[in-house]
Amino acid sequence: MSDGISDDAEDVVGVLTERIEARFAMDMDQLKAAVAAAPTANPDATDVVKWHGLLVQAQSVLDRAEDDLLAALETRPSQVDDPTMGLAHRVNAAVTARDGRAMVVRWLLDPDAPGKKDLAAERLARLRPRTGPAVQTSAPQRPPGTPAPASAWRAGRPVR
């Protein structure tokens, strides 16, 4: 991987954690607590905390998959059977998931990343503060005593 992140699995999470802590000037536990207390106060921090958690989870899955593969290889060092190949594929899938999540975290941390300064990014930024639906999703309240619309009375059945 680029950006000074080595191929060592532990370094991926460690380096990105250090970058997050430097970017927000607090350690991950403090940042998680701040996001939990006010998730809408800093959308960038909220996104980074979410994806960092997914990255840590993916790293944990990868560690377990690697341990399982090593255990299988130790029992049969001279042959690789179908179950062992299945474990190897599981490791590959876990590496892919971990690396994909690491890429998202790196993108979130890079203010000059592609897609953050174009017209689409500006439009997304304008939409982001919205917390509810853009249009009304329920029927408006009718004043008491106002009859239901005529279309609701077709054949004595409610309109669906």
Side-chain angles (χ1 to χ4, degrees), residues 7 21 24 26 31 36 46 48 57-58 66 73 83-84 87 105 109 127 134 136 150 153 160:
D7 290 331
E21 291 173 346
F24 293 98
M26 59 179 73
L31 185 59
T46 302
V48 167
Q57 178 186 29
E66 288 175 332
L73 290 173
T84 305
L87 292 172
V105 171
L109 292 172
L127 293 175
Q136 188 172 354
W153 294 97
R160 293 184 184 176

Side-chain angles (χ1 to χ4, degrees), residues 114-133:
K116 287 194 169 181
K117 292 190 174 187
D118 60 4
L119 182 59
E122 290 175 19
R123 288 180 181 159
L124 182 61
R126 280 184 288 197
L127 293 175
R128 193 173 215 179
R130 198 176 292 181
T131 57

Side-chain angles (χ1 to χ4, degrees), residues 71-159:
L73 290 173
E74 287 173 357
T75 61
R76 293 184 212 103
S78 63
Q79 69 181 28
V80 177
D81 56 5
D82 287 343
T84 305
M85 281 304 294
L87 292 172
H89 290 302
R90 199 172 106 205
V91 169
N92 284 338
V95 167
T96 300
R98 191 270 323 269
D99 289 351
R101 291 173 182 184
M103 288 173 51
V104 171
V105 171
R106 283 192 348 234
W107 183 84
L108 289 169
L109 292 172
D110 183 0
D112 298 322
K116 287 194 169 181
K117 292 190 174 187
D118 60 4
L119 182 59
E122 290 175 19
R123 288 180 181 159
L124 182 61
R126 280 184 288 197
L127 293 175
R128 193 173 215 179
R130 198 176 292 181
T131 57
V135 296
Q136 188 172 354
T137 58
S138 60
Q141 294 285 338
R142 288 193 308 265
T146 305
S151 63
W153 294 97
R154 279 190 209 155
R157 295 180 300 181
V159 175

Side-chain angles (χ1 to χ4, degrees), residues 25-70:
M26 59 179 73
D27 69 27
M28 280 306 298
D29 291 334
Q30 290 172 324
L31 185 59
K32 287 178 189 177
V35 165
T40 59
N42 186 337
D44 291 338
T46 302
D47 289 343
V48 167
V49 166
K50 171 190 169 190
W51 281 96
H52 182 268
L54 293 171
L55 173 62
V56 169
Q57 178 186 29
Q59 182 62 53
S60 174
V61 169
L62 174 58
D63 291 341
R64 283 192 306 273
E66 288 175 332
D67 291 345
D68 292 347
L69 178 59
L70 287 174

